[in-house]
Amino acid sequence: QTCALPISVELVRLFQVELEHYEKIEGTTLSLDGKANRLSMLLRNNLAMAMQGLAVIPLFAGYDLEAEGPPAAGRIFSYDVTGGRYEEHSFHSVGSGSVFARGALKKLYRDDLSEADAVLAVIHALYDAADDDSATGGPDVTRRIYPVVASVTSDGFRRLPESDVASTTEQVVQERMANPNGHQAPLR
């Protein structure tokens, strides 16, 4: 028995293959802007399926190792269903609960967050999104279903161990039992 992959997973795989193909042909990696533009073209080429309700709206983030100025700068790109590319700043979210997640990130985000604090902020954001949007799945401590969290730095991509994410998630759930609205943003 075979299982069809979700369109989003197929898009990621196709994007990876195209980037690998470019690297083999050109002998160099594509710039971050080039990757963002290529993803935009993939979405634009899928417009007919998107108009039939089979849309993928990705969020693309990476480090621009060719940026002038300070060491590698993190950049975030969001897209619309037609492949329109938009550069975001500091943080962003996509999906039906994104407005709630973005609101939580807006009050919790700071430029100097440690990795642990950033993980805490995104789990709070996911919790808020799941709390206010019925189509957003949140953590399920009983069934041990936790979010997948990754850290992307100038050193590369690293998926955080599930045990670390579980610990932080359980901390957030316990905090929310005492304070259902979550952290209050400092006024100073």
Side-chain angles (χ1 to χ4, degrees), residues 15-31 35:
F15 188 51
Q16 287 174 325
V17 167
E18 288 196 8
L19 295 179
E20 290 169 7
H21 178 73
Y22 178 89
E23 188 172 331
K24 285 178 183 175
I25 297 296
E26 298 297 326
T28 185
T29 58
L30 193 58
S31 69
K35 291 174 183 176

Side-chain angles (χ1 to χ4, degrees), residues 30-51:
L30 193 58
S31 69
L32 187 64
D33 275 319
K35 291 174 183 176
N37 287 338
R38 184 63 202 136
L39 185 53
S40 180
M41 281 192 341
L42 280 175
L43 292 171
R44 196 171 305 117
N45 290 340
N46 192 44
L47 186 57
M49 288 183 67
M51 299 308 277

Side-chain angles (χ1 to χ4, degrees), residues 7-9 11-12 39 43-44 46-47 50-51 53-60 77-84 86 88 92-96 98:
I7 294 172
S8 57
V9 174
L11 180 76
V12 168
L39 185 53
L43 292 171
R44 196 171 305 117
N46 192 44
L47 186 57
M51 299 308 277
L54 301 170
V56 175
I57 310 293
L59 185 64
F60 178 64
F77 299 94
S78 65
Y79 298 85
D80 62 29
V81 73
T82 65
Y86 309 95
E88 306 297 342
H92 195 67
S93 61
V94 295
S96 63
S98 65

